[in-house]
Amino acid sequence: MSQPLRIGLAGVGTVGAALMRILEDDREDITRKLGREIRVVAVCARSRSRDRGVDLSDVEWYDDSVALARSPDVDLYVELMGGEDGPAYASVTAALEAGKPVVTANKAMLAKHGLSLAAMAEEAGAQLGLEAAVAGGVPVIKTVREGLGSARIERVYGIMNGTCNYILSRMANEGISFEDCLRDAQELGYAEANPTFDVEGQDTAHKLAVLTALCFECEISAKDIFIEGITSIDKADIEVAGDLGYVIKHLGIAQRSGDGIEQRVHPTLVPKTSTIASIGGVLNAVALETNHVREVLLAGPGAGGEATAASVLADIFDIARGNHVPPLGVPVKELAPYKRGKMRAHEGGYFIRLIAKDVPGALAAIASRMGEEGISLESVIQRPDLEITVEGASTENARTVVLITHETVEQTVRDALAKIAADGYILGTPQLIRIEQI
Ligand code: HSE
């Protein structure tokens, strides 16, 4: 039997503690499968006294993650602290400089520094495992990097944030408020340390940036992503969308567009009949549209300690077995520079929710502005039953109006809405949600 693989673990929070529990509970099984034991020999964490439900009495404590990453007693460094810079980045670079393999779940760091870290890993001949950084327990990185062979990916899209999906699902199914759902997601260990990263869409954008590079063999470019979160989604949007045969999901989408790649993150109406519409709660799903295999859909728990730790462990298995693939699928020098593609016209159009004044001519004026901009309307619905509030305005004589447009381009819709607002027939800011026929 070979020597144990000695892990240095930085960050013993939800995921780190779950990893230690799995290693303990599955010790015999892991050792049998790998022919060697995996043992956490040293940790670095914020508090020594906090009860994490795992036995840390036999491990060496480090206050400095860089020192842990460099320790000669550690064969593999696992970074689960988070943060795009700071100790996470410093310690991962220290480990790679020392030629030591690294496993990380840190999508924020990878979105910003993934390219240079991948280059550093390649130069050092060390592995950099990043499965846990995208879609928690769903093995999407391995599928893209190794499972699809030479298939050319045309589009990747999916639900990549468990917290957003959990919130939208519960709002839809149970009518619970956004705030209550977010609090529950935090208690269940799904949300980031700063949950605005989840609900404002940055977390999905970080994951999408990494996935885009792998799918399209280009450099990582997180700054080129169009991002909208879910904080503006109202119960009324969910209800009306449902009546019209749609579900609202928060999606990350990257696709070839002209000679570039378009990346966007936003709430999206998807048909109730689509597979992605049925992915509820903390589940994530990533769809890969390719030339050879058409569509592959992977789904599973996208957040939570145990699921994410399972992905960390899968990377540790690869490293223990000596499986060596470039971190971003192809060597960094083979990656094309990222070229931003234009946001396309969206098939299926737009969902627009307006608060219109209930006066003669309002609806006709709204429809006519749409017509002037060449926007064709699929349906116009008045919902006098929906409760409405608009800050600073009386809504006594106002009604909710929902328009669904046929395919058109976003700027045209925005231009029409600006004219409608200037006509004085609406209150507040219109809600605009893209529709994807997927
Ligand atoms: N906060 C993330 C989510 C955790 O909710 O999906 C997994 O990256």
Side-chain angles (χ1 to χ4, degrees):
M1 173 97 42
S2 313
Q3 292 292 309
L5 182 72
R6 300 167 304 170
I7 308 277
L9 172 63
V12 195
T14 311
V15 180
L19 177 67
M20 292 198 69
R21 266 194 301 275
I22 295 176
L23 288 173
E24 184 56 41
D25 294 350
D26 297 356
R27 182 173 304 281
E28 270 179 37
D29 224 22
I30 292 170
T31 309
R32 181 179 54 78
K33 280 182 176 150
L34 289 178
R36 69 192 291 196
E37 192 189 336
I38 295 176
R39 192 183 293 166
V40 174
V41 294
V43 299
C44 173
R46 265 194 227 128
S47 150
R48 289 187 186 218
S49 54
R50 191 179 136 203
D51 179 12
R52 298 166 170 92
V54 287
D55 182 9
L56 294 169
S57 55
D58 279 349
V59 299
E60 200 177 339
W61 270 89
Y62 282 76
D63 292 320
D64 175 9
S65 54
V66 172
L68 171 64
R70 287 193 184 129
S71 165
D73 299 328
V74 161
D75 303 313
L76 191 165
Y77 179 62
V78 177
E79 185 278 306
L80 299 175
M81 294 179 288
E84 62 181 14
D85 293 301
Y89 180 63
S91 59
V92 167
T93 51
L96 293 174
E97 275 163 8
K100 204 168 281 187
V102 170
V103 174
T104 179
N106 190 336
K107 53 258 159 167
M109 176 183 73
L110 291 166
K112 185 169 180 188
H113 301 293
L115 200 64
S116 60
L117 290 175
M120 209 179 275
E122 284 171 27
E123 200 165 310
Q127 282 132 294
L128 173 62
L130 38 103
E131 186 63 71
V134 179
V138 188
V140 62
I141 298 289
K142 198 168 180 74
T143 302
V144 174
R145 206 162 52 182
E146 295 159 64
L148 292 176
S150 67
R152 175 184 156 97
I153 296 174
E154 299 295 340
R155 174 160 82 154
V156 56
Y157 67 87
I159 298 166
M160 298 176 202
N161 184 270
T163 301
C164 284
N165 205 40
Y166 175 85
I167 291 174
L168 290 175
S169 304
R170 289 197 70 194
M171 281 174 76
N173 299 338
E174 300 169 52
I176 295 175
S177 75
F178 177 89
E179 290 73 23
D180 286 349
C181 296
L182 176 58
R183 202 195 42 244
D184 287 353
Q186 286 176 289
E187 277 170 13
L188 289 163
Y190 302 155
E192 294 303 300
N194 176 358
T196 60
F197 272 51
D198 296 291
V199 295
E200 297 289 2
Q202 282 93 348
D203 181 73
T204 298
H206 290 149
K207 294 165 182 168
L208 185 67
V210 174
L211 208 45
T212 297
L214 278 145
C215 288
F216 300 104
E217 298 182 11
C218 63
E219 293 176 350
I220 299 173
S221 184
K223 64 182 187 327
D224 285 307
I225 302 181
F226 171 88
I227 308 174
E228 272 175 16
I230 61 165
T231 50
S232 74
I233 300 297
D234 195 273
K235 268 196 331 226
D237 298 318
I238 295 175
E239 189 179 327
V240 182
D243 290 350
L244 293 167
Y246 292 100
V247 175
I248 300 182
K249 292 291 181 191
H250 190 243
L251 298 187
I253 302 169
Q255 63 193 24
R256 296 186 195 276
S257 170
D259 61 352
I261 309 290
E262 166 195 330
Q263 301 182 89
R264 52 196 163 90
V265 169
H266 51 73
T268 312
L269 264 73
V270 296
K272 266 187 189 166
T273 49
S274 61
T275 314
I276 204 118
S278 67
I279 306 295
V282 71
L283 295 186
N284 279 195
V286 177
L288 302 154
E289 293 179 357
T290 84
N291 55 350
H292 297 323
V293 283
R294 287 178 58 92
E295 184 173 289
V296 174
L297 184 82
L298 301 162
E306 199 176 346
T308 312
S311 280
V312 171
L313 191 54
D315 277 342
I316 296 174
F317 263 53
D318 265 351
I319 291 167
R321 286 176 169 142
N323 296 346
H324 207 137
V325 284
L328 296 176
V330 296
V332 166
K333 64 178 175 21
E334 300 293 336
L335 296 171
Y338 177 80
K339 184 155 186 246
R340 185 177 190 159
K342 282 212 178 80
M343 267 179 79
R344 293 192 332 178
H346 297 278
E347 250 182 82
Y350 290 81
F351 167 102
I352 301 162
R353 183 171 54 82
L354 306 165
I355 310 299
K357 291 183 188 164
D358 192 12
V359 294
L363 216 48
I366 290 168
S368 130
R369 288 297 192 191
M370 289 285 175
E372 276 167 34
E373 295 295 326
I375 300 166
S376 166
L377 295 175
E378 183 183 294
S379 48
V380 179
I381 304 154
Q382 279 214 59
R383 289 291 302 261
D385 56 310
L386 290 177
E387 196 188 312
I388 44 178
T389 51
V390 177
E391 221 175 271
S394 158
T395 54
E396 206 180 332
N397 289 314
R399 294 278 183 272
T400 297
V401 175
V402 175
L403 314 172
I404 301 282
T405 77
H406 283 295
E407 187 176 342
T408 181
V409 285
E410 182 154 337
Q411 195 51 50
T412 313
V413 179
R414 293 198 181 275
D415 290 348
L417 290 177
K419 286 181 182 165
I420 290 167
D423 289 339
Y425 284 118
I426 60 169
L427 300 175
T429 312
Q431 173 70 292
L432 180 65
I433 310 178
R434 293 159 197 85
I435 302 174
E436 291 276 337
Q437 297 299 339
I438 47 185

